Amino acid sequence: MIGLEVKNLSHAFGSHKVIDDVSLTVGPGKIICLLGPSGCGKTTLLRLAAGLERVQSGTIKVDGVKVADRKLHIPPEQRHVGLMFQDYALFPHLTVGENVAFGLEGRNVGDRKSRIDEVLGQVNMLDYRDAYPHVLSGGQQQRVALARALAPKPGVMLLDEPFSGLDEALRIQIREETLSVLREAGTAVLMVTHNPEEALFMSDRMLVMGPGGRILQAGAPDDVYACPKDPFVATFFGRTNRLMGVVSDGVVATPLGKFPAPHYSEGCKVQVIFRTHSVHLEINGSNGIPVDVVSARPMGRDTRVQFKVPGRGDLPVFLSRVRGRFPETPSGKVTARIVPEEAFVFHRDGDAS
Ligand code: ATP
C-alpha cells in the first residue's frame, strides 16, 4: 500500500507500556489525526514511524516497503518520511533557503534551487529565502518547517503538535494554510494532537488514543464526536456531566430525565454522559425537569450556567453552556432538558454500549 502502514505496534519504556497493539493506515492525500491526552504515547508512535526509536513489537511499512520490525531498523533518512515536530527545530545558523535545502542533498544545484523556490512559494515564504530563523515570527518559522519537511516530496508526513507553539488567532490561520498545503502535496499525513478541535478540523479520519496507548475509537471525525463508543472518548471533547441510573424496560430513568438504553439488560447499572451544550435551559418553559440556577457567567457568545436539582443534595452541580445570555436570577421557573440523542449511555464500569 502507498502511504503509511502500522501493524500491531506495541512499545514499552522499561515496564511502562506506552503503545498497546496499535494498527493504522494512512493513504496518500489523507490526513489522519491521532488524538489523545498528554503522555498517552502519541509522540512515541511518531518517533517509531520516523525511525527515531527502535520497534520492539509490530511492523511499520512506508509505501509498501517494510522499514521496521523487531529485527529491522531502516534509518530515518532512508524512510522517505517528512517530519515536523512542535519546536520546528530550524537550524539557526542557516538561512530559510538553506534550511529547506537540507533535505535535498544529492540533487543538482538547479533542481535544488527550483524546488526550494517552489515549496517556499507554497507556504508564502519566498520573500524570506535569505533571512535567518531568528528574525521570523512563530508562524513564519512554522511555515518554513513545513516547507523543509515537504521539500523532498516525502510519501509520508509525520506532524507532532505542529501548531501548539502558536497563539490562538495565528493557530487558526496557520492551521488552515497548512491543511491546504498538505492537501495540495497529496502526501499521507499522520498528525498527533491533544487538541480535539484541531483533530476535528484537520482530519479525514481520527484515532483516539487512551491512557495506556490503546486506540479506543477510530473513524470519521464527525462520527467519533457524535457517537463515542467509550466513556473516555465521550469526555475527551470538552466538559461533560455524568448521571447514574439503572436500566428498566430498555430505558434509564435519571433525575434529569429518561434516556433510551435498548442494548442493556434489565437492572444494569449505567452512567449517562452528556456535553454541556446538550442541556437546554428554559425559563417558564413547558419541557424538562425543574432546576435551580447556581451561577450564570457570560463567556462571550455563550453563558456558562451551573444548576442543581432541588432537594437532591446527593447529586453534583451540573454545567451547561447556553447560547447567548442567561440570567443568574431568572424571573421564573427554570427547566432543564437534555437532548436524548446527545446523551451517551455506558456501563458504569466503563464498557461501551
Ligand atoms: P504529549 O502530548 O505530552 O507530548 P504523548 O502522548 O506524545 O504526550 P509520549 O511523549 O509518547 O506521550 O510519552 C508517553 C510516555 O512514555 C510518557 O509517560 C513519557 O514520560 C514516556 N517516555 C517517552 N519517551 C521516553 C523515554 N525515552 N524513556 C522513558 N520514558 C519515556
Side-chain angles (χ1 to χ4, degrees):
M1 168 202 153
I2 303 293
L4 177 69
E5 218 177 329
V6 169
K7 236 182 185 166
N8 304 118
L9 198 66
S10 292
H11 201 82
F13 293 107
S15 60
H16 180 195
K17 193 163 207 171
V18 293
I19 295 179
D20 188 4
D21 198 22
V22 168
S23 297
L24 60 91
T25 56
V26 194
K30 295 287 179 216
I31 299 177
I32 307 295
C33 278
L34 185 62
L35 180 68
S38 184
C40 73
K42 306 180 298 292
T43 297
T44 303
L45 195 145
L46 280 201
R47 287 175 57 81
L48 286 161
L52 301 172
E53 199 81 54
R54 277 183 175 268
V55 166
Q56 296 168 349
S57 160
T59 55
I60 298 171
K61 288 182 182 176
V62 173
D63 290 345
V65 177
K66 197 196 280 183
V67 293
D69 65 13
R70 201 164 55 83
K71 293 184 184 142
L72 175 74
H73 181 79
I74 304 285
E77 61 279 9
Q78 289 172 25
R79 291 195 181 189
H80 206 49
V81 160
L83 291 181
M84 200 172 133
F85 286 121
Q86 41 191 294
D87 57 0
Y88 315 143
L90 297 177
F91 302 115
H93 59 291
L94 299 181
T95 64
V96 164
E98 288 163 350
N99 262 283
V100 175
F102 193 75
L104 298 172
E105 265 137 39
R107 300 195 185 194
N108 70 47
V109 177
D111 274 1
R112 281 174 87 173
K113 193 179 167 313
S114 64
R115 181 65 184 144
I116 291 165
D117 286 359
E118 183 183 23
V119 78
L120 283 178
Q122 271 181 312
V123 298
N124 279 323
M125 286 298 290
L126 196 49
D127 292 345
Y128 293 85
R129 189 179 46 203
D130 300 320
Y132 284 89
H134 72 271
V135 305
L136 305 180
S137 69
Q140 289 170 328
Q141 290 186 33
Q142 197 273 359
R143 290 185 198 150
V144 175
L146 179 63
R148 183 177 64 179
L150 282 172
K153 299 191 177 168
V156 172
M157 279 279 284
L158 304 172
L159 275 56
D160 189 0
E161 305 271 5
F163 314 109
S164 61
L166 306 173
D167 66 49
E168 179 70 15
L170 194 59
R171 189 158 62 221
I172 291 168
Q173 182 200 335
I174 296 280
R175 202 157 72 181
E176 285 173 8
E177 289 173 11
T178 303
L179 186 61
S180 101
V181 170
L182 290 172
R183 292 250 183 257
E184 201 182 320
T187 175
V189 179
L190 178 60
M191 182 176 119
V192 151
T193 178
H194 65 271
N195 181 336
E197 195 198 318
E198 200 152 280
L200 287 167
F201 176 75
M202 296 284 289
S203 63
D204 296 303
R205 193 174 157 79
M206 180 192 279
L207 283 79
V208 183
M209 202 176 204
R214 219 159 41 85
I215 302 291
L216 299 175
Q217 193 168 346
D222 263 2
D223 292 345
V224 176
Y225 181 82
C227 305
K229 297 214 178 328
D230 177 283
F232 181 86
V233 179
T235 54
F236 194 66
F237 291 89
R239 291 288 295 267
T240 51
N241 298 284
R242 194 186 301 259
L243 286 163
M244 301 302 177
V246 174
V247 175
S248 173
D249 282 338
V251 169
V252 51
T254 76
L256 284 176
K258 291 181 174 174
F259 302 94
H263 307 300
Y264 293 90
S265 52
E266 188 70 15
C268 184
K269 290 180 178 173
V270 293
Q271 53 179 322
V272 181
I273 295 175
F274 53 99
R275 298 188 173 115
T276 55
H277 58 75
S278 300
V279 186
H280 290 270
L281 293 180
E282 262 189 299
I283 301 170
N284 293 327
S286 50
N287 269 327
I289 308 288
V291 296
D292 290 337
V293 171
V294 175
S295 72
R297 273 196 104 74
M299 306 279 290
R301 271 184 311 158
D302 304 338
T303 305
R304 182 180 178 276
V305 184
Q306 287 185 301
F307 64 91
K308 58 185 186 183
V309 181
R312 293 297 306 261
D314 56 319
L315 296 177
V317 171
F318 297 101
L319 186 63
S320 70
R321 196 93 188 192
V322 179
R323 266 281 148 90
R325 292 286 157 266
F326 199 89
E328 190 150 43
T329 44
S331 53
K333 193 178 68 150
V334 177
T335 49
R337 191 179 69 84
I338 299 157
V339 184
E341 307 78 58
E342 295 176 15
F344 311 116
V345 181
F346 302 102
H347 280 288
R348 235 181 254 189
D349 62 10
D351 291 350
S353 62

